[in-house]
């Protein structure tokens, strides 16, 4: 039977979020109901609230989550009730041209649950953030959005791989192909940027330059593995990166802000034949202008990183194992744990710059 649970919705553009009773249908074919244990508060959720993604209000927010599978629909074989899973927002189809070419991390037909969750009070259909909607006691997803991992890991840590941490680590390792001895610059040292620093360190980068406008964030970036920091309020970041690299620029520059001006900084802060990785998410109205001759003359690669170009079934268990071995500290990303009723306050704290991740515990 359908269940009623508590969840956080964004009712309209820039309106305060609120906790409402929502209806979770029984899972249909290929679907699963997951009891959420923890969900991180991500900037993408704030973008949804602000109308920066689309106007399909009301949204059921939350997507950076871990929990336990409660029930599954017909045809589901990869997960079963009782499995501890991390939720992902790119459930690969296995049949599109990217999947058939052995590149499922580029899947062009990722999917979500077919049924809709609704508001109990009105029956209005909800749009789940990134097809997940995990600021809720339970949620309905496509079974392919569930990745089984070691159940001994803390859910508030595991869930962070569902979005920001995976995006940053993957931007360095999967998209940027950071290698041993490389020099990496990371522009924007929030959760995703710091995860890119962790990924670069894991890949063996010799020098990791963190760039931000907030000294507190730069201090955190050093704790995450940055070897040098640049405050771009007081120094030209392009010149600073060049100075730290013998005048050449970095081998890989990861732009974790998603703005035209910081992308231009990334473009000019890289070495000849270097790589720029855009993992910061721009808004629809943003435009980029670069001299085409510079694009040609500098060579190298300009890449966008979708979800860190990850394959959840491959990358989530691997990173959990590395965390369990002590080789990466996923817990360092958790600034505070909060309840469902504290999400609006968590959004406000994002603007204050003193939080990496607030994590809702259910």
């Amino acid at each position: 039977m359908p269940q009623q649970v508590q969840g956080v919705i964004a009712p309209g553009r820039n309106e305060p979020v609120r906790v409402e009773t929502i209806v979770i249908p029984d899972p249909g074919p290929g679907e699963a109901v997951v009891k959420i244990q923890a969900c991180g508060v991500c900037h993408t959720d704030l973008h949804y609230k602000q109308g920066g993604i689309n106007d399909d209000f009301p949204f059921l927010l939350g997507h950076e989550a871990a929990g336990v599978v409660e029930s599954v629909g017909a045809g589901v074989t990869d997960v079963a009730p009782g499995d501890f899973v991390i939720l992902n927002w790119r459930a690969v189809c296995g049949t599109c041209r990217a999947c058939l070419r052995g590149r499922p991390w580029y899947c062009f037909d990722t999917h979500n649950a077919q049924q809709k969750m609704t508001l109990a009070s009105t029956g209005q259909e909800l749009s789940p953030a990134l097809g997940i909607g995990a600021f809720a006691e339970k949620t309905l997803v496509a079974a392919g959005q569930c990745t089984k991992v070691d159940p001994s890991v803390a859910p508030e840590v595991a869930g962070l791989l569902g979005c920001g941490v995976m995006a940053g680590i993957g931007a360095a390792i999967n998209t940027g192909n950071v290698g041993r001895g490389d020099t990496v610059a990371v522009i924007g040292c929030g959760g995703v940027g710091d995860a890119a620093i962790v990924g670069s360190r894991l890949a063996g980068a010799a020098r990791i330059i963190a760039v931000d406008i907030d000294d507190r964030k730069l201090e955190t970036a050093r704790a995450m593995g940055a070897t040098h920091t640049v405050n771009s309020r007081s120094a030209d970041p392009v010149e600073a990166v060049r100075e730290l690299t013998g005048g050449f620029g970095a081998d890989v520059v990861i732009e974790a802000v998603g703005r035209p001006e910081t992308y231009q900084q990334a473009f000019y802060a890289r070495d000849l034949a270097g790589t720029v990785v855009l993992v910061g998410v721009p808004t629809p109205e943003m435009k980029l202008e670069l001299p085409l001759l510079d694009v040609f003359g500098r060579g190298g690669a300009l890449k966008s990183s979708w979800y860190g170009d990850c394959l959840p079934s491959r990358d989530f268990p691997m990173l959990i194992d590395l965390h369990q071995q002590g080789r990466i500290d996923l817990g360092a990303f958790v600034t505070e744990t909060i309840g469902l009723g504290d999400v609006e306050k968590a959004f406000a704290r994002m603007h204050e710059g003193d939080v990496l991740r607030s994590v809702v515990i259910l």
Side-chain angles (χ1 to χ4, degrees):
M1 292 183 59
Q3 304 179 65
Q4 293 192 0
V5 302
Q6 298 296 293
V8 176
I9 70 160
R13 184 185 296 267
N14 281 324
E15 294 182 26
V17 303
R18 60 177 186 253
V19 178
E20 293 270 5
T21 301
I22 63 174
V23 178
I24 311 293
D26 290 335
E31 295 176 341
V33 170
V34 178
K35 184 176 182 180
I36 302 300
Q37 294 181 327
C39 184
V41 182
C42 177
H43 272 275
T44 303
D45 292 303
L46 181 58
H47 290 327
Y48 272 106
K49 174 194 168 182
Q50 295 171 333
I53 306 294
N54 57 55
D55 290 319
D56 295 336
F57 292 97
F59 292 109
L60 175 59
L61 298 180
H63 60 277
E64 207 173 63
V68 175
V69 175
E70 181 180 83
S71 58
V72 299
V76 175
T77 58
D78 289 343
V79 292
D83 285 346
F84 178 66
V85 297
I86 300 172
L87 299 184
N88 73 78
W89 48 269
R90 286 185 59 80
V92 301
C93 71
T95 57
C96 72
R97 59 194 186 279
C99 289
L100 292 177
R101 292 171 68 190
R103 302 172 183 172
W105 47 89
Y106 294 140
C107 179
F108 301 131
D109 194 22
T110 57
H111 56 282
N112 304 315
Q114 293 298 305
Q115 299 183 86
K116 291 291 187 178
M117 295 175 279
T118 58
L119 279 174
S121 58
T122 64
Q124 186 176 13
E125 291 186 348
L126 295 166
S127 300
L130 290 176
I132 293 176
F135 286 156
E137 294 165 329
K138 297 177 185 180
T139 193
L140 177 76
V141 293
Q145 293 179 268
C146 302
T147 304
K148 187 177 177 180
V149 297
D150 185 344
S152 67
V153 69
E156 62 267 27
V157 168
L160 299 184
L161 291 179
C163 188
V165 172
M166 182 70 256
I169 292 177
I173 294 176
N174 297 332
T175 314
N177 295 312
V178 174
R180 287 172 296 190
D182 280 352
T183 295
V184 180
V186 177
I187 300 177
C189 298
V192 173
D194 282 344
I197 289 169
V198 169
S200 299
R201 185 185 64 184
L202 191 66
R207 181 174 296 153
I208 304 171
I209 305 165
V211 180
D212 203 282
I213 60 174
D214 189 327
D215 284 332
R216 294 170 299 172
K217 290 186 176 182
L218 292 172
E219 183 179 345
T220 301
R222 276 197 179 273
M224 292 291 188
T227 59
H228 300 77
T229 59
V230 175
N231 188 317
S232 53
R233 280 194 190 277
S234 55
D236 182 323
V238 175
E239 293 304 317
V241 170
R242 287 179 176 169
E243 184 178 342
L244 290 167
T245 55
F248 299 116
D251 298 302
V252 180
V253 184
I254 299 170
E255 201 279 82
V257 180
R259 296 191 58 84
E261 56 268 37
T262 45
Y263 188 90
Q264 288 183 344
Q265 291 169 359
F267 179 83
Y268 288 109
R270 67 186 173 127
D271 197 356
L272 293 175
T275 299
V276 173
V277 176
L278 174 64
V279 67
V281 181
T283 53
E285 76 281 0
M286 291 179 178
K287 306 292 183 183
L288 177 69
E289 184 174 331
L290 286 171
L292 191 58
L293 183 60
D294 285 357
V295 175
F296 173 78
R298 298 183 70 84
L302 307 179
K303 295 184 173 183
S304 297
S305 185
W306 299 347
Y307 203 2
D309 289 341
C310 80
L311 183 60
S313 59
R314 175 195 65 193
D315 294 339
F316 288 3
M318 173 194 69
L319 292 172
I320 290 295
D321 285 347
L322 290 172
H323 170 71
Q324 299 287 60
Q325 295 166 21
R327 295 176 61 188
I328 57 176
D329 181 10
L330 297 177
F333 289 90
V334 180
T335 306
E336 63 175 359
T337 56
I338 61 174
L340 276 179
D342 300 319
V343 171
E344 185 69 30
K345 293 179 182 177
F347 286 147
R349 288 203 67 187
M350 285 182 179
H351 296 295
E352 296 168 4
D354 61 348
V355 60
L356 273 182
R357 272 297 184 271
S358 303
V359 180
V360 174
I361 301 294
L362 295 107

